[in-house]
Amino acid sequence: MTTLGVNIDHIANVRQARKTVEPDPVQFAFLAELGGADSITVHLREDRRHIQDRDIFLLKETIKTKLNLEMAATKEMLEISKKLLPDYVTLVPEKREEVTTEGGLDVKSNVNYLKNFVGYLKDSNIQVSAFIDPLNEQINYSKEIGFDFIELHTGKYAELKGYDQYKELQRIIESTHEANSMGLIVNAGHGLNYNNVEKIASIDNMNELNIGHSIVARALAVGLEKSVREMKSLITQN
Ligand code: PXP
């Protein structure tokens, strides 16, 4: 059965917009687990634009499911992850100027560096995933480097429509089978929402989907009316 990893970065985005204490992603991780999240995903960015160091250490102490730390393959992040010991690390490319992770990690161009990096994480018993585009050569190199998992980038699938989207779906299906046959566990994510998730979730041996933005957007849609009613009631009762 495919499981759900809930990415709570966007809760932290709202907090950081005011640099205050709410909404606290740690508390919302608890609610995500109540809703059935099988893991909690956070991306600790170099510029700390949303998730903070404090969040990941509190999450590690408080969540009951699994912690998936997304990070760039840098020395700073290696040190942090070896202290944190999350259940797994997903290596992602990171550019300061991007709004969100744009493409997959180019594992092919960084084989030796990544072999060492993944080795250091595995020495600390952390399982490691590579967020890659659904391309055969990236899958082959992920296997060679020693990743336990890959996370297939579904951003393009999410953006495309009609026959183009169908072709991208076939590419993701073939990539999943290819990676599975090499012994890699396959996750997927990026841009998945309430309209496009089912076709990806029903791929044979799809392990876990990591979803953030659409879930947080839906939380606003289903929760805003109640929160306005509560405020209105406080204002009008006097
Ligand atoms: N997987 C990875 C590796 C990501 O970087 C992100 C975005 O932070 C996601 C999944 C979730 O994407 P979305 O917020 O579009 O659901």
Side-chain angles (χ1 to χ4, degrees):
M1 198 187 62
T2 306
T3 57
L4 171 64
V6 176
N7 180 315
I8 54 171
D9 294 350
H10 291 290
I11 310 278
N13 263 329
V14 177
R15 177 190 60 191
Q16 294 313 111
R18 284 287 173 95
K19 299 215 169 9
T20 178
V21 294
E22 68 172 4
D24 186 341
V26 179
Q27 291 172 356
F28 281 81
F30 172 75
L31 293 180
E33 287 184 332
L34 269 187
D38 299 290
S39 67
I40 300 296
T41 299
V42 282
H43 184 175
L44 186 69
R45 281 183 167 268
E46 186 197 8
D47 63 10
R48 306 298 197 272
R49 70 171 72 155
H50 40 53
I51 293 293
Q52 307 295 306
D53 298 57
R54 162 262 186 213
D55 300 331
I56 59 171
F57 285 94
L58 278 175
L59 284 167
K60 164 78 187 187
E61 269 184 52
T62 55
I63 66 172
K64 295 170 208 69
T65 56
K66 290 187 200 148
L67 182 60
N68 172 21
L69 178 66
E70 284 179 13
M71 60 182 219
T74 63
K75 194 164 177 293
E76 182 202 12
M77 290 300 151
L78 181 63
E79 292 310 317
I80 291 173
S81 55
K82 284 169 75 172
K83 271 194 218 129
L84 177 70
L85 302 177
D87 295 282
Y88 43 102
V89 155
T90 301
L91 295 182
V92 297
E94 193 175 302
K95 286 193 226 126
R96 266 184 182 257
E97 62 277 15
E98 70 193 355
V99 175
T100 182
T101 314
E102 281 168 357
L105 186 68
D106 183 7
V107 293
K108 182 187 167 194
S109 307
N110 296 291
V111 174
N112 289 335
Y113 179 81
L114 288 173
K115 263 189 190 165
N116 287 328
F117 200 91
V118 169
Y120 293 139
L121 289 167
K122 287 189 160 193
D123 288 346
S124 297
N125 283 327
I126 302 169
Q127 291 190 297
V128 198
S129 178
F131 182 54
I132 56 170
D133 292 323
L135 297 171
N136 277 348
E137 58 177 10
Q138 297 292 345
I139 295 167
N140 293 338
Y141 281 107
S142 297
K143 177 68 187 172
E144 188 190 323
I145 289 165
F147 285 100
D148 305 288
F149 302 77
I150 54 168
E151 179 175 335
L152 295 174
H153 194 322
T154 50
K156 205 163 171 194
Y157 160 80
E159 270 171 25
L160 293 169
K161 299 227 174 338
Y163 185 60
D164 290 337
Q165 187 181 53
Y166 169 81
K167 279 197 303 191
E168 184 64 13
L169 176 65
Q170 298 314 308
R171 209 150 71 99
I172 293 169
I173 293 171
E174 281 158 25
S175 297
T176 305
H177 293 164
E178 172 81 11
N180 273 162
S181 70
M182 294 178 188
L184 287 162
I185 301 170
V186 181
N187 299 332
H190 214 284
L192 296 177
N193 61 35
Y194 294 81
N195 300 314
N196 65 19
V197 73
E198 283 165 294
K199 289 198 172 73
I200 300 289
S202 62
I203 296 174
D204 279 347
N205 294 323
M206 178 55 75
N207 178 57
E208 184 157 273
L209 301 181
N210 282 310
I211 307 181
H213 189 266
S214 64
I215 291 178
V216 175
R218 178 64 65 109
L220 291 177
V222 298
L224 191 71
E225 186 180 335
K226 182 163 185 271
S227 64
V228 171
R229 269 185 216 294
E230 287 173 3
M231 184 60 81
K232 182 86 182 271
S233 142
L234 286 174
I235 289 169
T236 52
Q237 76 191 1
N238 295 305

